[in-house]
Amino acid sequence: MDDVRASSAWVAARSAHVVVDPSGIEKAVEEIQDSIPKVKWDFEGIHYFDNGPLTVQYLFVLDTLNFCFWPDKDLSYDHLALGLKEALQNDKSVFDADRLQKITGPHLRKLLKWPRPLPLENERVRLLHEVGLELERSFEGKASKLVESCGKSAANLVALVTRHFPGFRDHSVYKGHQVFLYKRAQIFAADLWGAFEGQGYGEFNDISSITIFADYIVPAVLRQLGVLRYSSDLASIIEANREIGSGSEEEVELRACSIYAVEKMRELLSKKSGNQVLSVELDLWLWSFGIQCQSLQHHRTLSIYY
């Protein structure tokens, strides 16, 4: 997680298209410091939970597929979470490691009750095969064994996930410098912590090490709050709904500057309140704010990472 923070700060210091506005950070913090928002993890009621290993398996499959909904305007994270929940309720072995290795695009659509091909469907299928194979090879087929291997450390869990599962290796090269973002690996740790309320499989002694999850909603919310400012060229691209290439300078800056900005917000909030504020909590609030704001315009990138 130190790599995520340090490399994001490195990008923010050299960013040409996205600027982190210190006065915007001050203003945003002033608005929320007296009532730091707490959002319940499953506030939508869409996730599977049985307080055991099957929930861990569900969350790992969910976070394997938790990316790139925007190309289908009717598709959202809620469809994915609820579709997988209902599939598991109907068949408790549906996410067994051997079955994940055999899943096809049409089968995935059927599980999610989705009437047409999913965005990046072939990649989603490939990643499920990868997860099933590696879970079987190294963790007795169980994501719960993966979690048990991390020694109650969220940072260790992120390291384990990115070491064993290439599809979670969310990093880029920016101006010759490697940048680590790790959205889906971090969100798996955060989902466990939220679902299990910091107990059992969700007990981590370093949950504060987790940063925000750099996706396409959070930068747009930060821009609306005045925390981020975009160059006129980048603003024009986003407002025209034109695609931004995965790994491009603009895309890396949007994501890295979001991480850096929220770290600065968290530090200021903690200082002003005298209490520890978690990036996980700020991310959940920013994301829930963003999905309720219909007019929000976000950047568009085809990516398996978010």
Side-chain angles (χ1 to χ4, degrees):
M1 299 301 83
D2 289 343
D3 289 340
V4 174
R5 286 181 169 83
S7 61
S8 294
W10 195 92
V11 173
R14 292 158 179 81
S15 179
H17 310 279
V18 182
V19 174
V20 178
D21 188 337
S23 65
I25 289 173
E26 289 271 2
K27 186 179 175 186
V29 165
E30 284 293 328
E31 287 176 9
I32 64 174
Q33 67 171 322
D34 294 329
S35 55
I36 296 166
K38 300 276 185 184
V39 181
K40 185 173 168 55
W41 174 77
D42 190 30
F43 66 93
E44 320 97 315
I46 57 173
H47 297 94
Y48 179 87
F49 185 74
D50 70 351
N51 204 36
L54 206 52
T55 295
V56 182
Q57 197 85 354
Y58 163 81
L59 289 174
F60 198 45
V61 171
L62 173 65
D63 290 326
T64 298
L65 297 172
N66 182 6
F67 59 86
C68 205
F69 303 102
W70 65 263
D72 188 328
K73 62 181 177 59
D74 299 319
L75 183 66
S76 71
Y77 171 81
D78 289 14
H79 293 108
L80 178 67
L82 188 58
L84 295 177
K85 173 185 178 180
E86 291 175 350
L88 190 54
Q89 287 171 331
N90 292 332
D91 178 357
K92 291 293 193 286
S93 67
V94 69
F95 300 140
D96 284 3
D98 59 332
R99 292 182 64 180
L100 289 176
Q101 294 172 62
K102 297 170 187 165
I103 206 160
T104 64
H107 183 205
L108 180 57
R109 271 176 255 154
K110 187 177 178 182
L111 288 180
L112 299 176
K113 299 174 183 171
W114 201 249
R116 54 188 173 271
L118 296 154
L120 299 179
E121 183 172 277
N122 290 341
E123 285 293 274
R124 294 179 195 275
V125 168
R126 180 183 69 80
L127 292 171
L128 288 174
H129 291 177
E130 176 187 281
V131 161
L133 181 64
E134 185 58 20
L135 282 178
E136 190 172 72
R137 184 164 53 194
S138 300
F139 301 101
E140 300 172 36
K142 301 182 188 307
S144 57
K145 296 291 183 185
L146 166 67
V147 175
E148 288 167 3
S149 303
C150 78
K152 301 188 187 307
S153 165
N156 284 352
L157 181 58
V158 171
L160 268 174
V161 168
T162 54
R163 185 183 312 141
H164 283 274
F165 303 92
F168 282 85
R169 291 173 192 163
D170 177 12
H171 43 76
S172 296
V173 175
Y174 175 84
K175 297 183 178 178
H177 192 89
Q178 194 154 25
V179 179
F180 303 90
L181 301 162
Y182 293 153
K183 184 254 186 182
R184 290 194 289 107
Q186 290 200 80
I187 212 169
F188 177 52
D191 280 345
L192 289 164
W193 178 77
F196 289 91
E197 298 183 340
Q199 303 297 314
Y201 290 112
E203 184 182 350
F204 299 111
N205 54 31
D206 59 352
I207 193 63
S208 61
S209 69
I210 296 294
T211 70
I212 63 147
F213 320 121
D215 62 1
Y216 42 87
I217 299 295
V218 171
V221 173
L222 292 174
R223 185 191 184 199
Q224 184 151 316
L225 292 173
V227 172
L228 296 184
R229 288 188 285 109
Y230 297 170
S231 69
S232 57
D233 286 348
L234 179 57
S236 297
I237 290 168
I238 292 172
E239 285 155 17
N241 291 326
R242 283 158 48 204
E243 197 176 314
I244 294 173
S246 180
S248 64
E249 284 195 4
E250 292 89 341
E251 190 239 4
V252 175
E253 289 177 11
L254 282 162
R255 300 183 71 205
C257 288
S258 294
I259 292 172
Y260 176 76
V262 176
E263 284 300 301
K264 291 299 169 189
M265 288 175 66
R266 181 187 60 76
E267 289 169 10
L268 190 55
L269 278 165
S270 296
K271 184 179 176 183
K272 285 178 176 286
S273 69
N275 299 311
Q276 184 185 54
V277 178
L278 299 176
S279 295
V280 174
E281 295 170 325
L282 281 175
D283 182 277
L284 189 52
W285 179 76
L286 289 164
W287 187 79
S288 59
F289 177 94
I291 60 172
Q292 292 167 44
C293 184
Q294 297 297 318
S295 61
L296 202 67
Q297 277 196 292
H298 61 74
H299 73 280
R300 296 177 176 229
T301 296
L302 285 171
S303 173
I304 66 167
Y305 298 119
Y306 65 101

